[in-house]
Amino acid sequence: MSNLKLNPLEILEIISLIGSFLDRKDLLNCLCVSKTFHGALIWHIWRKIIVRRHGPFTPTGEALQKHKEYIEKIHFIYPQKDIPEEYGSLQGCIRLQFIQTSRISPREPAPTRFLNLIKAHNSTITKINLAYVQNSQLLWETLLGCANFNRLKVASMCINDGVDIFFQVCKKLGYLDFKNVSIRQLPTDFLSGEASEYTFPNMHTLRVDDVRIDDPPHPHTSPYCLGTLVRRCPNLSTLEYRECYPRIDVRDKFYNEAFFHHSWTLDNLSELSFPSIGIKDEDLAALLRRMTELRRLDIPCCDFGQLSLQALLADEQEILYNGQVVRKIRLRRLCETVEILMLDVRNKIDGLVYTILSNCPRLKRLCGPRIMVTEIVDGAEWVSTQLTDLIITLVADIDQETEEGMAKTRIVFKQLGKLTRLHSLCLTAWVRSIRTLDLQLRAGLDELANLRSLYTLSFRDDFHQQMQLKDATWMVNNWPSIRYLYGRVNWESDENGEDINTLVQSFLKSHNIYCFP
């Protein structure tokens, strides 16, 4: 019975949960409330620390030694030649898992203190981020000695020494993200045969952004080598690949080697992101037909056409059986598993957005081309009711001034009003000087009353909006989360010659809602 009388603010778990919502200043104040508060919240102060070269809050001395057992992450910012000596000799951080550092001077090929810190915690460290850090064989040897190390992020590095050991480290990883990285050359037998020792069985996430093989084996190219790297990750589920200056030959050599020139091995692949390279519709469709599940497809430069759409909707997939490509019934269609679709907003295929919204029940984010009001009016109900972000060009191909046109507009508003989880809504993603829905109560704006999570609304390049103060007042009263409107809200003047746009914007700004033309 005594437990029933316990004050909730004396229960460590409850205090710690409250602490997760407080900033540093509030946490420091709460430490002084009681011993119970101090014991529950001190971890929140120390679990992530930032070490700056001249930082006023950099932990040092007795305080560092006293609280080192709580440290989970250390972020070194601009440490110059090496990290501070006090941290290089630090030991006993029993919870330390993550080290992040940047700009260790290239004049220091082996930052001894930094490496000593890693060695002292090689049984606990699981994740390291390196940016502008000088490559060295000793660095990779040190990481190879970390028993539980599985996440590596590298940015702005030239890997010219210790390449073999670098790839040995990669064999431990489940997550590899490298950006603006050049690798001088591959190990001798990296490209030789399917039984190569350079296979990465643990890799589930691979992010490649402007990575170059400076001296690829003749006659191969850097994209071909990177395609081989992808193929050597049999358990890969997430792939992001970006080229800063993509060419057709670059594009083809990468994805042909990764996906088409060999037997399909990427059975777990479900998230694809190619933000800068273009893939033809037939090639993209062939890739989708091989995939068992699709969660994310980010392809704003690819040709997502009828063939790709058919693959998204198909109830069959292609598999390799006894050396032959055969089809089998899917457990779930790709459209039934996809959560993120980022397509080319300039795509001109009729009915694309409508088909997606009518067939993708788990979709949370959609960036796509245009959809007509008449498509929505004449079509079936949308099933994508879990959407949080919708970026499209919604074209009002009707006369919104007529009674019939306003009735159709209200139907569209009703459809949008069912997307109750929307955080951002863009109605004019691409087409210039387009007319979209009139954002007025008389047109059906009140059908969006349930969009209480809406944070941003965009209607840029629509030169026909005539929003009035009563419409803006309705937004303030019904959308508690709204903060940003992108687009001119009114293009007319009132009977006294005053600019209505300025009046409406001033009213919205007084309620912390900001408008940008």
Side-chain angles (χ1 to χ4, degrees):
M1 295 295 293
S2 60
N3 289 337
L4 297 178
K5 299 180 181 180
L6 188 64
N7 187 332
L9 293 182
E10 293 180 356
I11 300 175
L12 293 177
E13 291 80 5
I14 293 179
I15 300 172
S16 182
L17 181 61
I18 294 173
S20 64
F21 295 96
L22 302 179
D23 59 23
R24 182 180 176 84
K25 181 180 179 181
D26 290 335
L27 283 169
L28 289 172
N29 288 332
C30 288
L31 292 181
C32 303
V33 172
S34 67
K35 289 184 178 181
T36 303
F37 266 66
H38 186 280
L41 298 178
I42 189 66
W43 168 75
H44 288 279
I45 294 289
W46 282 91
R47 67 189 184 96
K48 297 180 181 179
I49 62 175
I50 297 177
V51 181
R52 295 181 175 87
R53 186 171 26 170
H54 302 298
F57 302 112
T58 296
T60 58
E62 183 179 347
L64 177 61
Q65 292 297 325
K66 181 179 179 181
H67 299 99
K68 63 184 179 181
E69 64 182 282
Y70 301 110
I71 299 175
E72 295 182 3
K73 175 185 175 180
I74 305 179
H75 185 185
F76 297 101
I77 298 179
Y78 301 113
Q80 282 193 325
K81 291 185 178 182
D82 207 339
I83 66 174
E85 182 176 358
E86 187 169 13
Y87 284 85
S89 60
L90 188 62
Q91 298 184 28
C93 301
I94 58 175
R95 299 182 184 179
L96 180 59
Q97 297 182 32
F98 183 13
I99 298 179
Q100 182 174 355
T101 190
S102 61
R103 297 190 184 278
I104 292 181
S105 173
R107 298 187 183 91
E108 188 73 26
T112 306
R113 299 171 191 163
F114 176 61
L115 298 183
N116 285 343
L117 177 64
I118 296 174
K119 291 176 183 177
H121 301 88
N122 60 12
S123 63
T124 62
I125 289 176
T126 62
K127 179 179 179 181
I128 290 184
N129 287 6
L130 304 171
Y132 298 95
V133 175
Q134 176 71 5
N135 171 74
S136 73
Q137 181 167 320
L138 187 56
L139 169 64
W140 305 123
E141 289 175 347
T142 302
L143 295 182
L144 193 60
C146 294
N148 299 301
F149 181 54
N150 59 32
R151 292 175 64 94
L152 174 63
K153 186 173 182 178
V154 181
S156 301
M157 178 183 287
C158 298
I159 303 177
N160 43 24
D161 295 322
V163 176
D164 283 18
I165 303 177
F166 166 72
F167 280 109
Q168 292 299 322
V169 171
C170 290
K171 293 177 73 171
K172 298 167 62 74
L173 302 177
Y175 178 103
L176 174 60
D177 181 336
F178 48 165
K179 178 179 182 179
N180 190 25
V181 171
S182 65
I183 300 173
R184 182 177 179 182
Q185 61 184 17
L186 296 175
T188 305
D189 57 347
F190 189 89
L191 301 180
S192 61
E194 295 299 322
S196 170
E197 65 173 299
Y198 295 100
T199 300
F200 310 97
N202 300 317
M203 194 80 69
H204 58 75
T205 300
L206 179 61
R207 305 184 193 279
V208 181
D209 186 348
D210 190 23
V211 176
R212 305 168 302 283
I213 311 298
D214 292 333
D215 186 16
H218 182 76
H220 302 299
T221 63
S222 176
Y224 176 91
C225 297
L226 293 171
T228 301
L229 172 62
V230 171
R231 191 165 48 81
R232 295 281 171 75
C233 303
N235 294 306
L236 196 65
S237 61
T238 300
L239 172 63
E240 295 186 13
Y241 180 82
R242 181 195 297 268
E243 283 279 355
C244 286
Y245 304 101
R247 306 185 307 270
I248 292 179
D249 59 326
V250 169
R251 173 197 71 192
D252 292 349
K253 291 184 184 300
F254 168 74
Y255 75 73
N256 280 333
E257 172 62 13
F259 305 124
F260 298 128
H261 282 173
H262 304 269
S263 299
W264 179 258
T265 59
L266 304 176
D267 292 333
N268 297 321
L269 193 61
S270 62
E271 298 189 32
L272 277 174
S273 177
F274 299 140
S276 65
I277 66 172
I279 300 178
K280 295 178 290 187
D281 185 29
E282 54 266 35
D283 292 330
L284 184 58
L287 176 56
L288 292 174
R289 285 195 296 268
R290 294 184 174 192
M291 297 178 66
T292 302
E293 182 176 337
L294 179 65
R295 293 183 55 200
R296 175 188 176 197
L297 189 61
D298 183 0
I299 49 168
C301 297
C302 294
D303 180 16
F304 189 94
Q306 291 291 354
L307 296 176
S308 299
L309 182 59
Q310 291 171 13
L312 184 72
L313 302 175
D315 56 8
E316 293 183 331
Q317 77 173 102
E318 293 180 354
I319 63 170
L320 194 65
Y321 182 75
N322 289 335
Q324 300 293 324
V325 176
V326 299
R327 294 178 180 268
K328 76 166 187 176
I329 300 297
R330 293 184 178 277
L331 293 176
R332 290 187 297 178
R333 297 182 299 162
L334 297 184
C335 63
E336 295 170 343
T337 64
V338 67
E339 297 179 5
I340 299 174
L341 272 176
M342 306 294 288
L343 307 178
D344 186 352
V345 296
R346 300 164 296 180
N347 194 310
K348 296 182 179 180
I349 294 188
D350 293 334
L352 179 59
V353 170
Y354 166 75
T355 302
I356 290 172
L357 291 172
S358 302
N359 287 277
C360 300
R362 299 184 64 182
L363 198 62
K364 293 181 174 62
R365 180 174 174 82
L366 172 63
C367 178
R370 66 183 182 181
I371 181 173
M372 306 296 183
V373 164
T374 51
E375 286 183 69
I376 302 174
V377 172
D378 298 334
E381 290 287 312
W382 293 348
V383 301
S384 302
T385 54
Q386 297 186 41
L387 279 167
T388 59
D389 301 278
L390 180 59
I391 305 167
I392 56 174
T393 298
L394 178 50
V395 180
D397 56 339
I398 56 172
D399 184 354
Q400 298 187 80
E401 302 302 323
T402 66
E403 184 176 341
E404 180 184 3
M406 294 180 67
K408 291 182 177 180
T409 302
R410 184 167 287 274
I411 292 174
V412 176
F413 272 118
K414 283 184 178 180
Q415 193 76 277
L416 288 170
K418 296 175 183 179
L419 308 180
T420 56
R421 301 183 183 184
L422 273 184
H423 181 266
S424 64
L425 174 62
C426 176
L427 301 173
T428 54
W430 173 251
V431 183
R432 305 301 181 190
S433 303
I434 194 68
R435 182 164 188 174
T436 188
L437 300 179
D438 289 340
L439 299 171
Q440 295 181 269
L441 292 171
R442 69 180 187 89
L445 179 65
D446 53 308
E447 299 289 352
L448 304 185
N450 290 326
L451 304 189
R452 301 185 64 80
S453 297
L454 192 64
Y455 188 74
T456 63
L457 174 63
S458 178
F459 45 90
R460 276 178 168 160
D461 297 314
D462 180 354
F463 304 135
H464 306 86
Q465 290 296 329
Q466 299 177 10
M467 191 185 301
Q468 306 294 319
L469 276 175
K470 62 180 179 180
D471 306 311
T473 301
W474 182 91
M475 291 181 179
V476 168
N477 293 335
N478 289 273
W479 294 345
S481 302
I482 193 71
R483 287 296 175 268
Y484 299 101
L485 299 184
Y486 294 93
R488 188 179 173 93
V489 299
N490 197 303
W491 292 83
E492 297 182 346
S493 300
D494 65 10
E495 56 189 13
N496 297 319
E498 292 191 62
D499 182 11
I500 301 177
N501 182 71
T502 301
L503 293 174
V504 173
Q505 285 194 2
S506 297
F507 170 77
L508 290 171
K509 187 176 181 180
S510 70
H511 290 83
N512 298 317
I513 302 171
Y514 301 94
C515 301
F516 299 93

